[in-house]
Amino acid sequence: MPEHHLNPDMHLDYKEFVRYNRHVMTNGIGEEGQLAIKSSHVLIIGLGGLGCPASQYLTASGVGTITLIDHDIIESSNLQRQVLFTEQDIGEQKVDIAQLRLQRLNPLIKVNGITKSILNINLSELLNDVDVVLDCTDNATTRHFINATCVKNKVKLVSASAIQSQGQLISFDFASPDSPCYQCVFPSADNQDLNCSTSGVFSPVLGVLGSLQATEALRLILGKTNNLNTLSLFDAWGMAFKRFKVTKDPKCICCH
């Protein structure tokens, strides 16, 4: 069950019990699991095609605190895949609109917003009270930076990406000394220009991967760790998944 040390006197109030009743009824969650979700803090970095669906499902699921980080504004070309935004939002900060929409979706939780580049904040300090980080960014340099910071602070990381008709997902728990890291699997930040903007993407693939990120984050909050260190690849045209276990690279300069 969840790693959180819950107060034995904690319980869902009537409004929460009604709202999350389908979770409470679900094997593997129950009221104890929902309380763990309520007590958790998830950091979502990037509010593009991955961050939009991931944030919506985590909000609806009752994650107690969600912090959003993105420095971009909404553009017309975003609307093909970034499902939190509308035509009327063009020119607005992504974080501001997302924070407003998510808070309206679930007023029982707290949604924080940071409209800065991840490279221009003290990420280590922010991670002090974060349970899981979702890397929803779209370039390799940023992914490597987030990975290294999570390794340093021993925080769980769920990373995903998508391009063309394919996507990938992997998660790590850096509290484990045997955990590999993102750099073990992808040692180079080369090809950082390969992203949705430069290569295109089939929009529902981002919905699939973003939803899987939310699923994996909730699973980790609930203490379900059997998918750690597993690279999952999704191919939309073949409608197929492939999964590969990964191990720590003894030569990795990031996690050794």
Side-chain angles (χ1 to χ4, degrees):
M1 281 307 289
E3 296 179 5
H4 293 80
H5 300 290
L6 299 175
N7 184 329
D9 296 325
M10 278 186 66
H11 64 278
L12 300 175
D13 63 30
Y14 177 77
K15 192 171 184 179
E16 291 169 329
F17 191 86
V18 171
R19 187 179 187 107
Y20 306 124
N21 179 256
R22 301 305 189 270
H23 269 179
V24 174
M25 295 168 61
T26 300
N27 293 336
I29 304 180
E31 184 170 7
E32 182 183 357
Q34 189 61 45
L35 286 169
I37 294 170
K38 176 183 176 179
S39 301
S40 65
H41 183 181
V42 175
L43 172 64
I44 301 175
I45 306 172
L47 286 169
L50 295 167
C52 284
S55 64
Q56 286 171 292
Y57 274 109
L58 292 174
T59 296
S61 295
V63 169
T65 304
I66 296 175
T67 297
L68 313 170
I69 301 179
D70 198 309
H71 66 287
D72 281 341
I73 62 170
I74 299 162
E75 301 176 356
S76 178
S77 61
N78 300 149
L79 302 182
Q80 169 251 12
R81 63 199 178 279
Q82 298 179 16
V83 293
L84 268 174
F85 310 129
T86 70
E87 186 85 16
Q88 288 69 38
D89 302 323
I90 292 173
E92 301 290 340
Q93 290 281 348
K94 288 183 179 181
V95 163
D96 292 343
I97 299 300
Q99 186 177 10
L100 177 66
R101 299 253 157 84
L102 295 173
Q103 199 68 79
R104 285 177 177 172
L105 174 62
N106 191 349
L108 301 182
I109 72 167
K110 182 178 182 181
V111 182
N112 304 315
I114 300 174
T115 55
K116 293 182 179 180
S117 165
I118 192 66
L119 303 176
N120 294 331
I121 66 171
N122 188 336
L123 182 56
S124 286
E125 182 177 333
L126 187 60
L127 293 183
N128 285 335
D129 67 343
V130 167
D131 297 291
V132 185
V133 173
L134 267 60
D135 182 352
C136 302
T137 62
D138 65 353
N139 74 80
T141 300
T142 305
R143 291 192 198 112
H144 279 271
F145 170 75
I146 294 168
N147 173 73
T149 310
C150 288
V151 168
K152 177 183 175 182
N153 291 276
K154 297 181 171 58
V155 176
K156 298 178 182 68
L157 171 66
V158 182
S159 180
S161 61
I163 194 169
Q164 292 275 312
S165 63
Q166 299 180 327
Q168 62 189 32
L169 173 84
I170 192 164
S171 60
F172 308 99
D173 181 359
F174 297 126
S176 169
D178 297 324
S179 174
C181 74
Y182 185 87
Q183 190 159 325
C184 291
V185 187
F186 304 101
S188 173
D190 292 344
N191 297 325
Q192 59 184 305
D193 292 331
L194 293 179
N195 54 42
C196 296
S197 299
T198 59
S199 301
V201 68
F202 182 38
S203 64
V205 174
L206 291 153
V208 171
L209 271 296
S211 297
L212 287 175
Q213 278 187 287
T215 302
E216 181 65 355
L218 292 170
R219 292 177 76 258
L220 291 174
I221 290 165
L222 293 167
K224 302 179 188 303
T225 60
N226 57 308
N227 194 51
L228 288 169
N229 314 325
T230 301
L231 179 64
S232 297
L233 304 177
F234 174 65
D235 172 31
W237 297 153
M239 202 54 114
F241 280 94
K242 294 181 180 179
R243 287 159 51 84
F244 305 91
K245 271 292 184 183
V246 301
T247 57
K248 195 179 188 77
D249 180 356
K251 297 181 181 179
C252 178
I253 61 174
C254 182
C255 59
H256 277 276

